[in-house]
Amino acid sequence: MPLLTVALWLANVVLDTGGQLAFKAAAGDPEAGDGLARWKYMASRPWLWLGVGCYVFEFLVWIAFLSLVPLSEGVLLGSINIVAIMVAGRFLFGEKLTRLRVAGILLVSAGVAIVGVGA
């Protein structure tokens, strides 16, 4: 796989994971309150806007990445984001990695590796 393609793929993983983690940080703030007050509070916090920014840049990176690989291959390679988000969620937010989730991580990782080797 050409270096530019790998760089765009890695940038997509970092931006998508960063966006998801920022949204989780914004949504999980215990001081946020309820209802409309919660949304106003989240809108005033940097985490929400960091997540939005990550997603804007991820969209641009994703389009560039898809311009270099077939759609079916790109979507399969992009599924590694699920693994990155689950692992980061475990370390940053203490979320549980059950046996089934670990099995899912291993299966997704194996699938991405198979697609990556064949690319």
Side-chain angles (χ1 to χ4, degrees):
M1 200 178 298
L3 184 59
L4 176 60
T5 306
V6 172
L8 288 170
W9 176 60
L10 291 174
N12 174 265
V13 171
V14 169
L15 289 167
D16 185 53
T17 303
Q20 290 285 348
L21 295 173
F23 287 148
K24 175 68 175 180
D29 192 335
E31 297 178 24
D34 292 321
L36 184 58
R38 179 179 195 80
W39 284 99
K40 287 181 180 179
Y41 181 83
M42 285 191 300
S44 71
R45 308 298 295 167
W47 289 117
L48 180 72
W49 300 108
L50 176 63
V52 169
C54 282
Y55 269 37
V56 168
F57 286 113
E58 186 215 358
F59 170 75
L60 298 172
V61 168
W62 183 247
I63 296 298
F65 176 68
L66 288 180
S67 73
L68 301 174
V69 299
L71 179 60
S72 59
E73 190 177 298
V75 169
L76 290 171
L77 289 170
S79 66
I80 198 70
N81 295 353
I82 297 165
V83 172
I85 292 164
M86 281 199 302
V87 170
R90 167 69 180 110
F91 288 107
L92 296 175
F93 300 110
E95 295 181 352
K96 293 181 181 179
L97 288 180
T98 64
R99 288 183 185 171
L100 283 176
R101 288 182 184 170
V102 171
I105 286 172
L106 295 173
L107 289 170
V108 169
S109 298
V112 169
I114 290 167
V115 170
V117 169

